[in-house]
Amino acid sequence: MRIQTNPDRSETKAGPALARRRMGVAERERQILDGAIAFFAERGLDGQLRDLARSIGVTHALLYHYFPTKQALVDRVYLEVFEGRWRAEWDDLLDDPKTSVEDKFTAFYADYVNNALSRDFVRILVFSGLTDHTITDRFFAMLRTRLFPRLIRETRRFRGVTSRAKPSPRELELLMGLHGGFFYITMRRWIYGQVVHSEAMPGRYDEALVRDRVHAYLASSRELFAQPDAAPRARAARR
């Protein structure tokens, strides 16, 4: 992978590198942050900051001037790559009572899998899961607060259930099968290097394929809300 090199140096045919162009504070911070995202996505969160500084063409001291600790840099990467990509429009979509549950799940996951789950997102999340869990713990805490309750509520709405009780383990596991399945699509692409099928656009996952998964999930949810004594009554009637 070609990691961004120092934009301050420019070579000419006439001679050696010209004087460094001074960057503003925001521009320099942006350079370091973009370089860190690319670096961590390629080498993992265990990568050394000296190697990071070298890869983006800044001194180790300058990097520490902008990010005094490695954790401060990791925190900023998290905000940029994970929380920063969460769209308020998704909240509005999932809360819209006029849109069918199947349509809103399909619209959300089509956007989520194709736009939010980028190479940097997926690889950094996996690397975090294999090391200190700093990013994975924060990200899943956000999902448990902001996304999963909405999806459980809408699944119950689809089944005509008005209960606001705490989700059962079966509800959560069925939902994680849906959500994790979409994440696995991007793991195939960004971790295993496998082609992800899309008839319309090779770089995207077709909305029709998203709808297939959503439809299967909603069909499976029927068992979660069946009357507990319905099966025994049916067997008794057959006898």
Side-chain angles (χ1 to χ4, degrees):
M1 186 194 74
R2 182 178 178 83
I3 297 178
Q4 179 184 358
T5 55
N6 185 9
D8 289 352
R9 300 182 64 86
S10 57
E11 298 288 343
T12 69
K13 295 180 179 179
L18 299 177
R20 290 176 179 269
R21 176 178 64 84
R22 274 194 172 275
M23 285 187 177
V25 172
E27 187 180 4
R28 177 68 76 184
E29 186 178 271
R30 184 76 252 173
Q31 177 206 6
I32 294 173
L33 181 59
D34 288 344
I37 291 170
F39 180 84
F40 289 141
E42 186 64 23
R43 304 192 192 181
L45 298 175
D46 284 342
Q48 297 299 308
L49 293 192
R50 288 187 181 278
D51 295 332
L52 167 61
R54 189 179 303 113
S55 74
I56 58 180
V58 301
T59 66
H60 196 206
L62 182 62
L63 191 153
Y64 272 106
H65 174 74
Y66 283 86
F67 297 96
T69 65
K70 183 176 180 180
Q71 188 59 53
L73 180 57
V74 170
D75 288 343
R76 182 64 186 279
V77 167
Y78 170 78
L79 293 175
E80 182 79 12
V81 177
F82 295 88
E83 285 194 13
R85 293 186 184 178
W86 189 271
R87 301 183 180 184
E89 293 84 352
W90 293 339
D91 297 338
D92 297 336
L93 169 68
L94 294 173
D95 291 341
D96 182 6
K98 298 179 181 179
T99 305
S100 73
V101 175
E102 183 174 325
D103 284 348
K104 65 174 63 176
F105 276 38
T106 300
F108 166 73
Y109 275 114
D111 195 18
Y112 184 72
V113 73
N114 286 310
N115 297 314
L117 301 185
S118 66
R119 180 182 185 276
D120 295 337
F121 184 114
V122 173
R123 291 181 62 86
I124 291 175
L125 190 68
V126 171
F127 276 128
S128 176
L130 293 172
T131 53
D132 64 359
H133 297 184
T134 298
I135 286 179
T136 54
D137 287 349
R138 292 179 66 180
F139 179 63
F140 276 96
M142 183 182 74
L143 293 181
R144 286 191 292 267
T145 300
R146 194 163 186 177
L147 178 63
F148 294 159
R150 284 184 163 93
L151 299 181
I152 291 291
R153 179 198 66 202
E154 292 303 305
T155 303
R156 290 176 174 179
R157 174 190 167 206
F158 180 80
R159 286 297 165 197
V161 175
T162 58
S163 172
R164 295 185 180 181
K166 181 179 178 181
S168 69
R170 290 184 67 196
E171 285 179 281
L172 291 173
E173 283 303 306
L174 186 63
L175 177 60
M176 289 306 297
L178 174 70
H179 188 82
F182 284 115
F183 185 73
Y184 181 68
I185 293 167
T186 56
M187 285 190 64
R188 285 158 51 195
R189 177 181 292 155
W190 302 124
I191 302 297
Y192 304 134
Q194 301 300 306
V195 175
V196 176
H197 174 73
S198 176
E199 293 181 351
M201 300 174 65
R204 296 181 65 82
Y205 195 71
D206 290 350
E207 184 174 315
L209 301 180
V210 175
R211 187 174 293 275
D212 287 343
R213 288 172 176 264
V214 169
H215 183 76
Y217 163 77
L218 292 174
S220 299
S221 70
R222 178 179 182 179
E223 296 299 320
L224 296 179
F225 303 106
Q227 293 297 321
D229 60 344
R233 285 204 307 268
R235 286 196 294 269
R238 285 196 295 271
R239 294 195 192 99

